[in-house]
Amino acid sequence: MEGEKNVKTNYLRLKRTLQLKKQLSFTDLLFLSLEGQAPFLTLLTYATSVILYSLLFSPFLIIVGALIVLVNGLIVYKLSRMYVETGGYYIYALYSLTRRLGLETGWMYIFYSAFYGTAYLIGSTFILHYVLGLNVVTSLLIVFIPSIVFLLSGLKPSARYAEISGISEIILIFIIFVIGIYMAHFHFFNPFVKIPPLNDIALALLFAIGIPTGYGTIIPLSGETINTKDIGKAVLLVIMLGAVIESLGVYGLIDMGIYTHQFSLIFHSQVPILDLLRTNFGIYALVVMVYAAVSDGILSALSFMIGTSRTIYAMAQKDMLPSIFTWLRNNQPILASLLTIFIYGIILVPSILTIKNPFYLFIELGAIAGLANLFVHLSANFSLFFTAIRQIKKRVLSGMGLAGRVFSSILSKISDLTLSSIAIGITLLTLLYSLQSVDKLAENIFMGWIIVGFLYAEIVENYRELKYKDIKNSDDGSEASPS
């Protein structure tokens, strides 16, 4: 009897429920999304890639990238107020487009978040390997294991750590900007003195839009947010905050490099910004930089892992993944989290064993993640577009011929149509140019995942149709049989 009671207790701890506990405040969301950007690690990785492709033009391109992201952020701002379930982009597409496109969007979000998260892990791994000379696998475990521990511990401890780390990094990057222009004797270079070729700009933009996209980590957390309107507010604030901080940091470092005659260091170093800082500020500054980079790697990976696990959970809720992934323990989708850890491991282990250069591996993973990011946001843009059309149509039909009411309804939604149309155009154009700029490996992996996703969507939908057909036939048979 006691054994049966224990079994029942354990089952209730690991039970399937319809809703996660609402526990995240606006501050929690802001700093979780900020750590999804990994401000300091981004300065050493994504921002460095932007500099390598666009040189002096890079501070401006970081702002341009942020404006592209901001358009998509406005889309998310509006959609997050319409749909409040856990799942984010997947839920938007599911309700606004079709079930198949919803599944494909969720499928691509898992891909996007996993590759972004692993890219940041590899970025931290590279810093540890380069600066401390640690074995690559050891360096990876130093960053990956704490991320796993935080993921399994729950959202609130992660949010507290993100808040402390985020504030520290904003202050650190601003100090780097101030010291940079001070060492340049307050001379300011002109970013427009030499504009790079269009292909280089496109590739630089692919990395530039990766800088402020950490907000994508909080989109699936609507079901755990105390006030769901905070999702949209946090998204818009963190995009601009992250872009301004990164642009200032890059500008200060380039300014210092030019006017101290060290700019060539950027092209002859494996970690140009890190070496620039070490050359000018010594070993003590380097210790601070390494700590910030490792802390960022842990938290950014954690933020993306949370987004991945919640999307898996939401897809399982709608029978698009096995229902076992909806099971909770201590308000934590434990099996969805374990699957997330497995997915990240599947990407990390073969990658780091195959490609020995962690920085090159980071660029490859970042490029793949950037393409998937554009796809997911393209889906969100279409979600708002068709949602606005349906709402206009509904208002027109309910207007019963009242011209004034119809006209007012159309005006109220015209901004959504305009915004989503602009976002579709910008995102699609950026995606097409980026596909031409990345190497074949990144392109093939991205396209292959899309194809597999559509095949999986067909299988799931066909299975669902057959299942409901069998249930319907069974119900019809029971009604026809004599009592």
Side-chain angles (χ1 to χ4, degrees), residues 380-390 416-417 420-421 424:
N381 299 339
F382 276 111
S383 294
L384 182 63
F385 182 83
F386 285 106
T387 296
I389 287 178
R390 274 197 298 272
D416 288 357
L417 283 174
S420 56
S421 298
I424 288 169

PDB file of all heavy atoms in Angstrom, residues 380-390 416-417 420-421 424:
ATOM      1  N   ALA A 380       6.709  34.780 -38.457  1.00  0.00           N
ATOM      2  CA  ALA A 380       5.989  35.698 -37.561  1.00  0.00           C
ATOM      3  C   ALA A 380       5.408  36.876 -38.337  1.00  0.00           C
ATOM      4  O   ALA A 380       4.285  37.325 -38.062  1.00  0.00           O
ATOM      5  CB  ALA A 380       6.931  36.196 -36.466  1.00  0.00           C
ATOM      6  N   ASN A 381       6.160  37.375 -39.331  1.00  0.00           N
ATOM      7  CA  ASN A 381       5.676  38.490 -40.140  1.00  0.00           C
ATOM      8  C   ASN A 381       4.411  38.114 -40.898  1.00  0.00           C
ATOM      9  O   ASN A 381       3.445  38.883 -40.956  1.00  0.00           O
ATOM     10  CB  ASN A 381       6.761  38.931 -41.127  1.00  0.00           C
ATOM     11  CG  ASN A 381       8.030  39.404 -40.431  1.00  0.00           C
ATOM     12  OD1 ASN A 381       8.000  39.774 -39.262  1.00  0.00           O
ATOM     13  ND2 ASN A 381       9.145  39.354 -41.133  1.00  0.00           N
ATOM     14  N   PHE A 382       4.408  36.936 -41.504  1.00  0.00           N
ATOM     15  CA  PHE A 382       3.218  36.456 -42.203  1.00  0.00           C
ATOM     16  C   PHE A 382       2.068  36.193 -41.229  1.00  0.00           C
ATOM     17  O   PHE A 382       0.901  36.368 -41.578  1.00  0.00           O
ATOM     18  CB  PHE A 382       3.534  35.187 -43.003  1.00  0.00           C
ATOM     19  CG  PHE A 382       4.134  35.460 -44.360  1.00  0.00           C
ATOM     20  CD1 PHE A 382       5.460  35.152 -44.629  1.00  0.00           C
ATOM     21  CD2 PHE A 382       3.372  36.023 -45.372  1.00  0.00           C
ATOM     22  CE1 PHE A 382       6.015  35.406 -45.880  1.00  0.00           C
ATOM     23  CE2 PHE A 382       3.903  36.283 -46.616  1.00  0.00           C
ATOM     24  CZ  PHE A 382       5.232  35.973 -46.875  1.00  0.00           C
ATOM     25  N   SER A 383       2.404  35.771 -40.008  1.00  0.00           N
ATOM     26  CA  SER A 383       1.369  35.535 -38.994  1.00  0.00           C
ATOM     27  C   SER A 383       0.600  36.824 -38.707  1.00  0.00           C
ATOM     28  O   SER A 383      -0.641  36.825 -38.655  1.00  0.00           O
ATOM     29  CB  SER A 383       2.001  35.001 -37.703  1.00  0.00           C
ATOM     30  OG  SER A 383       2.560  33.730 -37.896  1.00  0.00           O
ATOM     31  N   LEU A 384       1.330  37.930 -38.512  1.00  0.00           N
ATOM     32  CA  LEU A 384       0.652  39.201 -38.253  1.00  0.00           C
ATOM     33  C   LEU A 384      -0.116  39.674 -39.484  1.00  0.00           C
ATOM     34  O   LEU A 384      -1.238  40.189 -39.364  1.00  0.00           O
ATOM     35  CB  LEU A 384       1.673  40.269 -37.845  1.00  0.00           C
ATOM     36  CG  LEU A 384       1.077  41.634 -37.498  1.00  0.00           C
ATOM     37  CD1 LEU A 384       0.154  41.536 -36.284  1.00  0.00           C
ATOM     38  CD2 LEU A 384       2.168  42.676 -37.239  1.00  0.00           C
ATOM     39  N   PHE A 385       0.461  39.481 -40.663  1.00  0.00           N
ATOM     40  CA  PHE A 385      -0.179  39.907 -41.904  1.00  0.00           C
ATOM     41  C   PHE A 385      -1.548  39.236 -42.073  1.00  0.00           C
ATOM     42  O   PHE A 385      -2.566  39.903 -42.300  1.00  0.00           O
ATOM     43  CB  PHE A 385       0.731  39.569 -43.093  1.00  0.00           C
ATOM     44  CG  PHE A 385       0.193  40.009 -44.427  1.00  0.00           C
ATOM     45  CD1 PHE A 385       0.370  41.313 -44.868  1.00  0.00           C
ATOM     46  CD2 PHE A 385      -0.488  39.120 -45.243  1.00  0.00           C
ATOM     47  CE1 PHE A 385      -0.123  41.721 -46.102  1.00  0.00           C
ATOM     48  CE2 PHE A 385      -0.991  39.513 -46.462  1.00  0.00           C
ATOM     49  CZ  PHE A 385      -0.809  40.827 -46.904  1.00  0.00           C
ATOM     50  N   PHE A 386      -1.594  37.919 -41.944  1.00  0.00           N
ATOM     51  CA  PHE A 386      -2.851  37.199 -42.155  1.00  0.00           C
ATOM     52  C   PHE A 386      -3.818  37.369 -40.981  1.00  0.00           C
ATOM     53  O   PHE A 386      -5.035  37.324 -41.167  1.00  0.00           O
ATOM     54  CB  PHE A 386      -2.575  35.717 -42.430  1.00  0.00           C
ATOM     55  CG  PHE A 386      -2.055  35.466 -43.817  1.00  0.00           C
ATOM     56  CD1 PHE A 386      -0.735  35.150 -44.032  1.00  0.00           C
ATOM     57  CD2 PHE A 386      -2.891  35.586 -44.922  1.00  0.00           C
ATOM     58  CE1 PHE A 386      -0.245  34.934 -45.311  1.00  0.00           C
ATOM     59  CE2 PHE A 386      -2.417  35.378 -46.204  1.00  0.00           C
ATOM     60  CZ  PHE A 386      -1.088  35.050 -46.399  1.00  0.00           C
ATOM     61  N   THR A 387      -3.274  37.582 -39.786  1.00  0.00           N
ATOM     62  CA  THR A 387      -4.144  37.886 -38.644  1.00  0.00           C
ATOM     63  C   THR A 387      -4.871  39.203 -38.879  1.00  0.00           C
ATOM     64  O   THR A 387      -6.088  39.312 -38.640  1.00  0.00           O
ATOM     65  CB  THR A 387      -3.319  37.972 -37.342  1.00  0.00           C
ATOM     66  OG1 THR A 387      -2.745  36.702 -37.055  1.00  0.00           O
ATOM     67  CG2 THR A 387      -4.202  38.401 -36.176  1.00  0.00           C
ATOM     68  N   ALA A 388      -4.149  40.208 -39.370  1.00  0.00           N
ATOM     69  CA  ALA A 388      -4.760  41.514 -39.658  1.00  0.00           C
ATOM     70  C   ALA A 388      -5.819  41.393 -40.750  1.00  0.00           C
ATOM     71  O   ALA A 388      -6.900  42.001 -40.643  1.00  0.00           O
ATOM     72  CB  ALA A 388      -3.674  42.508 -40.075  1.00  0.00           C
ATOM     73  N   ILE A 389      -5.527  40.629 -41.791  1.00  0.00           N
ATOM     74  CA  ILE A 389      -6.501  40.443 -42.886  1.00  0.00           C
ATOM     75  C   ILE A 389      -7.769  39.782 -42.363  1.00  0.00           C
ATOM     76  O   ILE A 389      -8.894  40.220 -42.680  1.00  0.00           O
ATOM     77  CB  ILE A 389      -5.884  39.601 -44.019  1.00  0.00           C
ATOM     78  CG1 ILE A 389      -4.848  40.444 -44.783  1.00  0.00           C
ATOM     79  CG2 ILE A 389      -6.966  39.103 -44.976  1.00  0.00           C
ATOM     80  CD1 ILE A 389      -4.141  39.696 -45.879  1.00  0.00           C
ATOM     81  N   ARG A 390      -7.614  38.744 -41.552  1.00  0.00           N
ATOM     82  CA  ARG A 390      -8.792  38.049 -41.013  1.00  0.00           C
ATOM     83  C   ARG A 390      -9.610  38.966 -40.116  1.00  0.00           C
ATOM     84  O   ARG A 390     -10.841  38.934 -40.125  1.00  0.00           O
ATOM     85  CB  ARG A 390      -8.365  36.795 -40.247  1.00  0.00           C
ATOM     86  CG  ARG A 390      -8.198  35.578 -41.140  1.00  0.00           C
ATOM     87  CD  ARG A 390      -8.193  34.297 -40.326  1.00  0.00           C
ATOM     88  NE  ARG A 390      -7.070  34.277 -39.400  1.00  0.00           N
ATOM     89  CZ  ARG A 390      -5.864  33.824 -39.713  1.00  0.00           C
ATOM     90  NH1 ARG A 390      -5.612  33.383 -40.934  1.00  0.00           N
ATOM     91  NH2 ARG A 390      -4.902  33.826 -38.825  1.00  0.00           N
ATOM     92  N   ASP A 416      -0.935  47.381 -38.911  1.00  0.00           N
ATOM     93  CA  ASP A 416      -0.433  46.002 -38.825  1.00  0.00           C
ATOM     94  C   ASP A 416      -0.086  45.458 -40.205  1.00  0.00           C
ATOM     95  O   ASP A 416       0.944  44.793 -40.386  1.00  0.00           O
ATOM     96  CB  ASP A 416      -1.477  45.089 -38.168  1.00  0.00           C
ATOM     97  CG  ASP A 416      -1.613  45.351 -36.680  1.00  0.00           C
ATOM     98  OD1 ASP A 416      -0.850  46.197 -36.153  1.00  0.00           O
ATOM     99  OD2 ASP A 416      -2.469  44.724 -36.042  1.00  0.00           O
ATOM    100  N   LEU A 417      -0.948  45.729 -41.174  1.00  0.00           N
ATOM    101  CA  LEU A 417      -0.687  45.274 -42.545  1.00  0.00           C
ATOM    102  C   LEU A 417       0.563  45.933 -43.111  1.00  0.00           C
ATOM    103  O   LEU A 417       1.404  45.270 -43.737  1.00  0.00           O
ATOM    104  CB  LEU A 417      -1.888  45.588 -43.444  1.00  0.00           C
ATOM    105  CG  LEU A 417      -3.110  44.681 -43.330  1.00  0.00           C
ATOM    106  CD1 LEU A 417      -4.258  45.224 -44.184  1.00  0.00           C
ATOM    107  CD2 LEU A 417      -2.772  43.267 -43.751  1.00  0.00           C
ATOM    108  N   SER A 420       3.751  44.587 -41.168  1.00  0.00           N
ATOM    109  CA  SER A 420       4.088  43.210 -41.529  1.00  0.00           C
ATOM    110  C   SER A 420       4.582  43.108 -42.964  1.00  0.00           C
ATOM    111  O   SER A 420       5.487  42.321 -43.265  1.00  0.00           O
ATOM    112  CB  SER A 420       2.883  42.288 -41.320  1.00  0.00           C
ATOM    113  OG  SER A 420       1.754  42.731 -42.039  1.00  0.00           O
ATOM    114  N   SER A 421       4.015  43.929 -43.869  1.00  0.00           N
ATOM    115  CA  SER A 421       4.469  43.929 -45.268  1.00  0.00           C
ATOM    116  C   SER A 421       5.920  44.405 -45.374  1.00  0.00           C
ATOM    117  O   SER A 421       6.737  43.810 -46.091  1.00  0.00           O
ATOM    118  CB  SER A 421       3.569  44.815 -46.126  1.00  0.00           C
ATOM    119  OG  SER A 421       2.244  44.344 -46.130  1.00  0.00           O
ATOM    120  N   ILE A 424       8.156  41.678 -43.917  1.00  0.00           N
ATOM    121  CA  ILE A 424       8.293  40.551 -44.855  1.00  0.00           C
ATOM    122  C   ILE A 424       9.321  40.885 -45.926  1.00  0.00           C
ATOM    123  O   ILE A 424      10.208  40.080 -46.234  1.00  0.00           O
ATOM    124  CB  ILE A 424       6.929  40.212 -45.496  1.00  0.00           C
ATOM    125  CG1 ILE A 424       6.008  39.541 -44.467  1.00  0.00           C
ATOM    126  CG2 ILE A 424       7.112  39.289 -46.715  1.00  0.00           C
ATOM    127  CD1 ILE A 424       4.568  39.422 -44.917  1.00  0.00           C
TER     128      ILE A 424
END
